[in-house]
Amino acid sequence: MKVTLPPALRDEIEQLHEDYAETMDHLDIKAWPSYFTDDCLYLVTSRENHDAGLPHGTIYCEGLAMVRDRAAATLDCTVFEPRHLRHFIGRPKVDAIDGDLVRTRASVLVMESVSDKEPHVLIVGQYHDVLRRGPDGLKFKERRVVYDNYRIVNSLVFPV
Amino acid sequence: MKVTLPPALRDEIEQLHEDYAETMDHLDIKAWPSYFTDDCLYLVTSRENHDAGLPHGTIYCEGLAMVRDRAAATLDCTVFEPRHLRHFIGRPKVDAIDGDLVRTRASVLVMESVSDKEPHVLIVGQYHDVLRRGPDGLKFKERRVVYDNYRIVNSLVFPV
Amino acid sequence: MKVTLPPALRDEIEQLHEDYAETMDHLDIKAWPSYFTDDCLYLVTSRENHDAGLPHGTIYCEGLAMVRDRAAATLDCTVFEPRHLRHFIGRPKVDAIDGDLVRTRASVLVMESVSDKEPHVLIVGQYHDVLRRGPDGLKFKERRVVYDNYRIVNSLVFPV
């Protein structure tokens, strides 16, 4: 089950995690789709659903077009209170390397700060990722954000 | 006081921390004793007690048999509300390397999620570990979990 | 914008972050000034002010003498309830290397624990640092602590 990870690959995965986190923490939603492959899956779901094999997603995007649509909707249509996110990501664990695909997981804590309230836990859980190497480096073929928390406080405006 | 740490040893310690965290975050209590040496000490205690040199433990296990007993009790006897843990661990600091023993510390944040409530901080504090190298790699000869928080909310069902 | 970081420099920066965090988590305020250059800037400010280019600081120290003064004031004059801090720091991002200066950022979460209350988020935000290499290794020429949170709960007794 455990895969020995070449240090250069670990470094590359950690860098990807941090670049993604930095992009989202700057609410740079326009850059968000650039992290995904054309045939990607982006899913935010509860641990309860994930463990039961249920497909429901708090956010569900199948394919890059849906990711772009979500980004456009967030930027142009959604009305929400201003907020800031801050991601904290654990050391990545690699479950398998299959050809150009890398299956990894990492713990994630996303804190959300809004005005007039104390910062709260937006998401605490784990990323379940499938990465594919392409000409621009590693991209997410799948990013499943599986959250432990019982519910999302208020709403999930930005992707995490 | 400060010990220069060979990168391979740092990597090994970080891997041990993450494997342990992953095991506990999956509530895989059966695998928990495999992280300890026969003559281990596992102690969860408050910073107040630790700093005063007091031996009280919220969980106190002296020797592998007590660790196994605690695991069995948690699995077979304890009645508790379902919950999920998620560990976040800082970069390990090495205080000393004495023969086959390595003394390390690392900051730790354990978030607990239960149903019907927002996730809360179960433990925020520091691991004080003594690691011993054996045929299966590094194991905990001592793991002292020293928590800063004033009290444990509700109860400490699972080891951390 | 993105700078390729030699692994040895990343390691050195991560070590500096952890040493600083360890010093502050032990409330070793006497050692705090040793992390700064003579011509340093230490600033704790809100993201709102930072993004608007406003100079207000919750803590503002220009030059090592002001840092020392703040340390002395905290140690000798300030009256406050006992408390513990615990820093969690993300992977550093390097924005630029200019001669002997390194511009870096890193996410930071500081949890504060006081008696009779649950631990709370003191600071969630990002370090914006300028590091300078000297005979004693890297020091902070600038450390701006930019917090996302709407306000500081209670008060910021210790530097973060």
Side-chain angles (χ1 to χ4, degrees):
Chain A
M1 192 81 91
K2 219 179 280 176
V3 172
T4 304
L5 189 56
L9 180 56
R10 166 176 304 285
D11 196 65
E12 203 179 351
I13 295 170
E14 289 186 357
Q15 191 62 52
L16 175 70
H17 283 184
E18 277 302 321
D19 289 345
Y20 182 95
E22 174 81 1
T23 298
M24 304 324 289
D25 289 348
H26 274 82
L27 306 179
D28 184 7
I29 308 302
K30 271 186 190 162
W32 178 55
S34 70
Y35 286 94
F36 293 93
T37 66
D38 285 349
D39 59 345
C40 68
L41 175 72
Y42 175 77
L43 177 70
V44 182
T45 195
S46 70
R47 186 162 170 169
E48 199 180 350
N49 277 328
H50 178 80
D51 288 350
L54 296 173
H56 171 77
T58 310
I59 303 180
Y60 186 102
C61 299
E62 209 178 325
L64 188 55
M66 280 181 74
V67 168
R68 287 193 182 124
D69 185 64
R70 174 79 191 197
T74 304
L75 282 167
D76 299 334
C77 314
T78 319
V79 176
F80 53 87
E81 195 185 345
R83 62 197 61 213
H84 293 303
L85 305 186
R86 190 65 56 190
H87 288 66
F88 294 88
I89 303 166
R91 183 176 163 95
K93 288 157 275 285
V94 171
D95 292 318
I97 303 179
D98 298 325
D100 61 348
L101 297 179
V102 186
R103 292 180 179 277
T104 74
R105 280 172 300 140
S107 293
V108 59
L109 173 70
V110 185
M111 300 297 299
E112 186 174 71
S113 301
V114 294
S115 60
D116 255 328
K117 290 195 201 81
E118 303 317 323
H120 65 268
V121 172
L122 181 66
I123 292 275
V124 57
Q126 201 174 33
Y127 285 131
H128 294 236
D129 298 327
V130 181
L131 308 174
R132 188 160 62 203
R133 185 176 301 285
D136 308 332
L138 293 173
K139 292 199 173 189
F140 293 108
K141 188 189 176 318
E142 290 181 23
R143 163 146 277 194
R144 292 168 201 265
V145 188
V146 181
Y147 56 88
D148 299 336
N149 29 321
Y150 155 68
R151 58 163 192 169
I152 302 288
V153 172
N154 196 327
S155 57
L156 192 61
V157 172
F158 295 108
V160 285
Chain B
M1 192 82 90
K2 218 180 279 176
V3 173
T4 304
L5 189 57
L9 179 57
R10 166 177 305 286
D11 197 64
E12 202 178 351
I13 294 171
E14 289 187 358
Q15 191 63 51
L16 175 70
H17 282 185
E18 277 301 321
D19 289 344
Y20 182 95
E22 175 80 0
T23 298
M24 303 324 289
D25 289 348
H26 275 82
L27 305 179
D28 184 7
I29 308 301
K30 271 186 192 163
W32 179 55
S34 69
Y35 287 94
F36 294 92
T37 65
D38 284 349
D39 59 346
C40 68
L41 174 74
Y42 176 78
L43 176 71
V44 183
T45 194
S46 70
R47 186 161 169 169
E48 200 181 350
N49 277 328
H50 177 82
D51 288 351
L54 296 174
H56 170 78
T58 310
I59 303 181
Y60 186 101
C61 298
E62 211 178 325
L64 189 54
M66 280 182 75
V67 168
R68 287 194 181 122
D69 185 63
R70 173 80 191 195
T74 305
L75 282 167
D76 299 334
C77 314
T78 319
V79 176
F80 53 86
E81 194 185 345
R83 62 196 62 212
H84 292 303
L85 305 187
R86 189 66 56 189
H87 288 65
F88 295 89
I89 303 166
R91 182 177 166 93
K93 287 158 275 289
V94 171
D95 292 319
I97 304 180
D98 298 325
D100 62 348
L101 298 179
V102 186
R103 292 181 179 276
T104 74
R105 281 172 299 139
S107 293
V108 59
L109 174 69
V110 185
M111 301 297 299
E112 185 175 72
S113 301
V114 294
S115 60
D116 255 329
K117 290 195 202 82
E118 304 317 323
H120 64 269
V121 172
L122 182 66
I123 292 275
V124 58
Q126 201 174 32
Y127 285 131
H128 294 236
D129 297 326
V130 180
L131 308 175
R132 188 161 62 204
R133 185 176 303 286
D136 308 333
L138 293 173
K139 292 200 173 189
F140 294 107
K141 189 188 175 320
E142 291 181 22
R143 163 146 276 194
R144 291 168 202 264
V145 188
V146 181
Y147 56 88
D148 300 334
N149 29 321
Y150 156 68
R151 57 162 193 172
I152 303 287
V153 172
N154 196 328
S155 57
L156 192 61
V157 173
F158 295 106
V160 285
Chain C
M1 193 81 91
K2 219 179 280 177
V3 173
T4 304
L5 189 56
L9 179 57
R10 166 177 305 286
D11 197 64
E12 202 179 350
I13 295 170
E14 289 186 357
Q15 192 62 52
L16 174 70
H17 283 184
E18 279 300 323
D19 289 346
Y20 182 95
E22 174 80 1
T23 298
M24 304 323 290
D25 290 348
H26 274 81
L27 305 179
D28 184 7
I29 307 301
K30 271 186 192 161
W32 179 55
S34 70
Y35 286 94
F36 293 93
T37 65
D38 285 348
D39 59 346
C40 69
L41 174 72
Y42 176 77
L43 177 69
V44 182
T45 194
S46 69
R47 186 162 171 169
E48 200 181 351
N49 277 328
H50 177 81
D51 289 351
L54 296 173
H56 170 77
T58 311
I59 303 180
Y60 186 103
C61 298
E62 211 177 323
L64 188 55
M66 280 182 75
V67 168
R68 286 194 181 124
D69 184 64
R70 173 81 191 195
T74 304
L75 281 167
D76 299 334
C77 313
T78 318
V79 176
F80 53 86
E81 195 185 344
R83 61 198 61 212
H84 293 303
L85 306 186
R86 189 65 57 190
H87 288 65
F88 295 88
I89 302 166
R91 183 177 164 94
K93 287 158 275 287
V94 171
D95 292 318
I97 304 180
D98 298 326
D100 62 348
L101 297 180
V102 186
R103 293 182 179 274
T104 74
R105 280 173 298 139
S107 294
V108 59
L109 174 69
V110 185
M111 301 297 300
E112 186 174 71
S113 301
V114 294
S115 61
D116 254 329
K117 291 196 201 81
E118 304 318 322
H120 65 269
V121 172
L122 181 66
I123 291 275
V124 57
Q126 201 174 30
Y127 285 131
H128 295 237
D129 298 327
V130 180
L131 308 174
R132 189 161 62 204
R133 185 176 304 285
D136 308 333
L138 293 173
K139 292 199 172 189
F140 294 107
K141 188 188 175 318
E142 291 180 23
R143 163 146 277 195
R144 292 169 201 263
V145 188
V146 181
Y147 55 88
D148 300 336
N149 28 321
Y150 156 68
R151 57 162 193 172
I152 303 287
V153 172
N154 198 328
S155 57
L156 192 61
V157 172
F158 295 106
V160 284

